[in-house]
Amino acid sequence: MIKQAIIPLAGLGTRMLPLTSVIPKELLPINGKTNLDYILEECIEAGIKEFVFVISKKKISIKKYFYNDAFYKKIIRKKKDKRIIQEYKRIKKYKRMIKFVYQNSPKGTGDAIIKCKNLIKGNFFLMLLPDDLIINKNCSKELINLHNKTKGSVIATKRVDKQSVSRWGILSVKNKKKNYFQIDDVVEKPNIKKAPSNFAIIGRYILPTKIFKEIKKIKPGQGGEIHITDAIRNLIIKKNKFYGNIFKGKYLDCGTMKGYINSCKEILKEKK
Ligand code: G1P
């Protein structure tokens, strides 16, 4: 049973400046909710009971979003507003589910994950990249279902335009079925000639706890960062089973200003 999710949140968000000079990108609002609220809702609907948030000192306002009791209590005492009471209840429910760990220098997703090592209990956990918003289908739930069926690790994937492969982790496909396939190899941001397919990783993973050991062994890659993709690759070479779950719902890239603006428009369309 997958009950825990890791969410790396320590990234600087430079692609979203100037907004991120004062607000972490994960707290930016999209149609009345923060980006992080969408991610939490997806996970809770998929049965996740505990979150590990990897933040940094610079992004302490993420913790404050959940730890602002005195402020809420004071307002509620004064105003007795039903909507605020409801929202505070929701925030308190989330707070009980979240543990925080710190990654004060942004050294990549692999480095963020290893910081959570002592908090993960089962053999597998869910990992979500909050830049990737998913709407109208529950991607985490799909991954958990495929994991329950195959007992292996699972990565969410979708076909992308061949010209854009160098922006993604790209999967090499084996034994393709209608909605999933076995992953034969994975390459982080390959150039078009080296890309084994156009099946790109989108930010949802079910990973084995074995990966902690593997991350320790890898050297910093592109940009001096420890990439989770490299650790996954080594586990595949060692014959661990990884599957690509072909995701058919709507995927929104919230990590760039252009993507964020587009996500706001798309989510508004969904609500109409
Ligand atoms: C990360 C992963 C990449 C994946 C992408 C999805 O890249 O390293 O494999 O395809 O997320 O959004 P980043 O967006 O951090 O550059």
Side-chain angles (χ1 to χ4, degrees):
M1 288 301 236
I2 310 278
K3 295 287 172 208
Q4 289 182 296
I6 296 179
I7 310 186
L9 297 160
L12 295 174
T14 50
R15 292 179 291 193
M16 300 286 282
L17 284 168
L19 302 181
T20 44
S21 66
V22 286
I23 313 169
K25 62 181 173 187
E26 299 82 5
L27 294 184
L28 288 172
I30 303 179
N31 198 25
K33 278 194 273 187
T34 69
N35 167 313
L36 201 46
D37 282 307
Y38 288 93
I39 304 268
L40 288 169
E41 282 168 16
E42 176 186 333
C43 289
I44 290 170
E45 200 190 283
I48 294 298
K49 303 280 183 222
E50 195 181 303
F51 296 90
V52 185
F53 281 10
V54 187
I55 60 169
S56 71
K57 281 184 193 150
K58 286 191 188 113
K59 294 179 85 177
I60 202 74
S61 48
I62 293 181
K63 188 166 181 186
K64 192 150 186 222
Y65 187 64
F66 300 96
Y67 279 73
N68 220 351
D69 300 70
F71 170 80
Y72 276 106
K73 282 179 186 159
K74 199 171 154 195
I75 301 273
I76 290 169
R77 247 196 327 270
K78 261 196 208 155
K79 288 185 113 180
K80 304 202 167 34
D81 181 313
K82 272 195 188 141
R83 193 193 69 83
I84 301 176
I85 296 170
Q86 255 337 92
E87 292 293 349
Y88 178 46
K89 270 192 188 153
R90 192 173 59 91
I91 298 276
K92 270 205 302 194
K93 180 182 130 196
Y94 289 158
K95 177 184 160 185
R96 284 193 290 271
M97 301 172 86
I98 306 169
K99 293 205 166 84
F100 291 87
V101 299
Y102 289 83
Q103 182 195 27
N104 285 325
S105 45
K107 287 195 221 129
T109 326
D111 180 64
I113 287 179
I114 208 149
K115 300 261 184 308
C116 310
K117 186 172 170 273
N118 296 334
L119 294 173
I120 299 296
K121 293 168 208 133
N123 291 327
F124 290 89
F125 60 91
L126 178 67
M127 197 266 285
L128 300 94
L129 302 180
D131 277 3
D132 298 351
L133 259 201
I134 274 160
I135 52 173
N136 75 28
K137 274 201 176 142
N138 191 316
C139 187
S140 295
K141 208 177 199 172
E142 283 187 15
L143 260 56
I144 290 174
N145 288 342
L146 186 58
H147 164 74
N148 289 341
K149 179 171 160 174
T150 60
K151 308 288 174 232
S153 302
V154 186
I155 299 177
T157 180
K158 72 178 192 76
R159 277 189 192 274
V160 295
D161 182 359
K162 284 211 168 68
Q163 301 302 318
S164 76
V165 285
S166 64
R167 191 258 166 258
W168 314 88
I170 298 292
L171 304 175
S172 167
V173 178
K174 193 170 136 185
N175 298 332
K176 187 175 166 303
K177 309 271 191 301
K178 192 164 166 252
N179 297 318
Y180 72 99
F181 54 82
Q182 204 178 319
I183 302 171
D184 210 21
D185 195 5
V186 54
V187 197
E188 183 66 13
K189 304 192 171 81
N191 67 36
I192 193 162
K193 280 191 197 132
K194 289 205 173 130
S197 76
N198 64 336
F199 276 105
I201 295 176
I202 52 175
R204 304 287 182 274
Y205 308 69
I206 288 178
L207 298 171
T209 39
K210 268 187 196 174
I211 200 142
F212 296 125
K213 243 189 182 171
E214 218 50 58
I215 297 171
K216 277 193 184 154
K217 289 184 211 156
I218 56 177
K219 299 220 164 70
Q222 248 180 25
E225 295 190 357
I226 311 265
H227 293 285
I228 193 66
T229 316
D230 296 335
I232 294 173
R233 184 159 205 245
N234 290 347
L235 285 177
I236 295 172
I237 292 169
K238 290 181 183 163
K239 306 277 179 239
N240 290 275
K241 292 256 185 304
F242 274 75
Y243 297 89
N245 182 83
I246 306 168
F247 184 63
K248 300 270 167 55
K250 205 175 238 176
Y251 161 86
L252 301 169
D253 177 9
C254 275
T256 63
M257 190 58 91
K258 198 171 156 216
Y260 171 65
I261 292 167
N262 181 50
S263 305
C264 293
K265 286 185 192 154
E266 289 293 324
I267 289 186
L268 207 56
K269 262 196 244 163
E270 286 296 308
K271 302 277 169 200
K272 275 184 184 159

